[in-house]
Amino acid sequence: VMDLCSSCKGCTSECPSNVDMATLKAEFLYQYQKTNGVPLRSWAFANISKINGLGALVPSATNFFLTKSPTSGIAKKVLNVAPKRTLPTLQKTTLRKWFNKNQPKPNGKIISTVYLFCDEFTNFNDTEIGIKAVKLLTKLGYEVKMVKHEESGRAAMSKGLLKMAQKCAKANVETFKNIITAETPLLGIEPSAILSFRDEYPRLVAQSEQEAAKNLGKNALLIDEFLEQEIKKGNITSAQFTNKKQHVKVHGHCHQKALSSVEKTAFVLGLLDNFTVEIIPSGCCGMAGSFGYEAEHYDISMQVGEDVLFPAVRAAKKDTIIVAVGTSCRHQIFDGTGRDGVHLVEVLWESLKDN
């Protein structure tokens, strides 16, 4: 029963009783693995941040290993990853290294200060998106801060390594509980990482820290959510962006749909003059973190994508921008259609005047 649960959290919002199967699956895996041990693949996926940290020391060599045959084939075979999948590569630098070296500051009046959660996926694999997010916020008048913190623990949760996830949750609540408020929120780029603060963290920390975790979760926002708030306050206006005519199709991340709303992403894009925004009525993209990488789940992963998402992307005109907030969503769109999906911040940065 649990094998085909992709932990998309759709049931959390769609089930009349709000049954959270993703949490039940994580707990089941934790209990099962206490007796039967943790499979190598699950251990590797759960520890992907540490593995990427080592690989980032020599990114060019790591990427050669991940992309060239036969080395990539050996890795896939050992971990039982689908042969047709492309493995995520590392960037030349990490987001944290770039930020520590550059730390851009607003030129004019600072509207407010925000903290950026340097999630493990953006840090190693989507560095350029993280850089553009920092630059975008700075240009719009926000001071961006980044502190040293633990990884989100999302990968560990999905594989039932709940002790590891609990360690991450406790460390992050301790790091942020006294500096994050409604006035100085914590912003995240990857939905599955930042929304952990809102969803799982209050259940993972000690009872004495649950109230602090809940308060923190209220002010841990997707960057989409923050931008929507600031637009409604009048702090961000269409005058700050070009008026280029553009059609955009948006695919929402599963956790975003369950715990936030894809309409927020569409609202932000709709601020831009001459932008027409269409939400693709898709469910899960089929990748669901590591689910779609697993050899035994590859076929059904692609079938899920073919249900609504892939046909909608293929039917889009070549000049239509496909926006997909989640890392795994963009990877799935590329593997399924050959088209690149982009993040919201990339569209905004490219559309910003004088960027």
Side-chain angles (χ1 to χ4, degrees):
V1 170
M2 294 292 182
D3 180 60
L4 292 180
C5 171
S6 63
S7 300
C8 71
K9 291 186 180 288
C11 50
T12 306
S13 57
E14 294 180 20
C15 171
S17 301
N18 302 118
V19 176
D20 187 350
M21 287 302 297
T23 297
L24 292 176
K25 180 180 180 180
E27 181 65 28
F28 163 75
L29 288 174
Y30 171 69
Q31 298 293 345
Y32 182 84
Q33 289 167 172
K34 281 202 300 185
T35 301
N36 297 278
V38 179
L40 176 62
R41 185 177 64 188
S42 294
W43 180 92
F45 281 138
N47 286 278
I48 192 62
S49 179
K50 297 178 179 65
I51 294 172
N52 282 340
L54 292 173
L57 298 174
V58 282
S60 57
T62 301
N63 289 340
F64 181 89
F65 175 85
L66 292 172
T67 58
K68 301 299 182 181
S69 181
T71 51
S72 64
I74 293 172
K76 291 175 185 177
K77 187 172 183 179
V78 170
L79 296 176
N80 198 24
V81 167
K84 293 181 181 179
R85 282 293 181 198
T86 54
L87 298 175
T89 54
L90 303 178
Q91 300 302 306
K92 293 180 179 179
T93 187
T94 66
L95 175 58
R96 188 171 291 282
K97 286 180 181 178
W98 177 88
F99 186 86
N100 290 339
K101 183 178 180 180
N102 294 275
Q103 295 192 25
K105 299 289 183 182
N107 291 325
K109 181 182 177 182
I110 295 176
I111 299 173
S112 65
T113 298
V114 299
Y115 285 84
L116 183 67
F117 185 72
C118 184
D119 71 82
E120 52 270 35
F121 311 105
T122 306
N123 190 37
F124 293 113
N125 307 114
D126 290 325
T127 306
E128 193 60 33
I129 295 176
I131 292 172
K132 288 179 179 178
V134 173
K135 288 182 176 180
L136 173 68
L137 290 167
T138 303
K139 279 282 188 179
L140 291 173
Y142 301 92
E143 180 185 29
V144 182
K145 292 185 177 181
M146 188 187 295
V147 298
K148 185 177 180 181
H149 60 73
E150 186 57 82
E151 64 180 275
S152 71
R154 165 54 55 196
M157 291 178 215
S158 69
K159 292 303 172 189
L161 278 73
L162 296 186
K163 289 292 184 182
M164 183 190 299
Q166 186 177 52
K167 181 180 178 181
C168 295
K170 288 180 176 179
N172 282 325
V173 170
E174 184 62 32
T175 297
F176 291 110
K177 67 179 182 181
N178 294 322
I179 60 175
I180 299 303
T181 65
E183 289 71 35
T184 56
L186 178 64
L187 307 187
I189 297 170
E190 174 59 35
S192 63
I194 193 65
L195 292 175
S196 299
F197 283 81
R198 193 179 302 173
D199 190 32
E200 289 97 348
Y201 279 17
R203 289 175 283 174
L204 285 170
V205 299
Q207 188 172 359
S208 59
E209 289 293 296
Q210 285 181 357
E211 193 62 33
K214 289 178 181 178
N215 290 332
L216 174 58
K218 293 175 183 177
N219 298 308
L221 308 175
L222 268 172
I223 194 168
D224 313 49
E225 296 175 316
F226 174 75
L227 292 172
E228 182 208 33
Q229 288 181 9
E230 294 304 293
I231 290 170
K232 289 182 176 179
K233 290 177 182 178
N235 292 331
I236 301 174
T237 68
S238 61
Q240 295 169 283
F241 299 89
T242 64
N243 58 2
K244 177 184 176 182
K245 188 175 182 180
Q246 184 66 60
H247 184 62
V248 182
K249 285 192 173 186
V250 182
H251 167 71
H253 188 280
C254 286
H255 292 190
Q256 178 187 21
K257 293 171 186 172
L259 302 168
S260 178
S261 172
V262 69
E263 279 78 12
K264 295 179 184 296
T265 304
F267 177 87
V268 175
L269 289 167
L271 170 73
L272 279 64
D273 293 333
N274 296 323
F275 263 52
T276 56
V277 184
E278 176 186 352
I279 296 177
I280 299 174
S282 51
C284 179
C285 70
M287 182 66 88
S290 63
F291 181 86
Y293 283 100
E294 296 163 356
E296 68 273 24
H297 295 141
Y298 174 79
D299 288 339
I300 194 167
S301 168
M302 300 308 284
Q303 288 173 23
V304 170
E306 289 289 356
D307 187 37
V308 175
L309 179 60
F310 294 168
V313 173
R314 293 192 193 103
K317 294 181 179 179
K318 289 185 178 180
D319 60 351
T320 297
I321 295 175
I322 307 299
V323 170
V325 178
T327 299
S328 60
C329 299
R330 293 190 297 276
H331 204 106
Q332 176 77 330
I333 288 172
F334 180 79
D335 279 0
T337 69
R339 291 189 62 164
D340 290 319
V342 300
H343 194 282
L344 166 71
V345 300
E346 295 180 280
V347 179
L348 295 180
W349 173 250
E350 297 301 328
S351 303
L352 191 66
K353 290 180 179 177
D354 304 320
N355 63 3

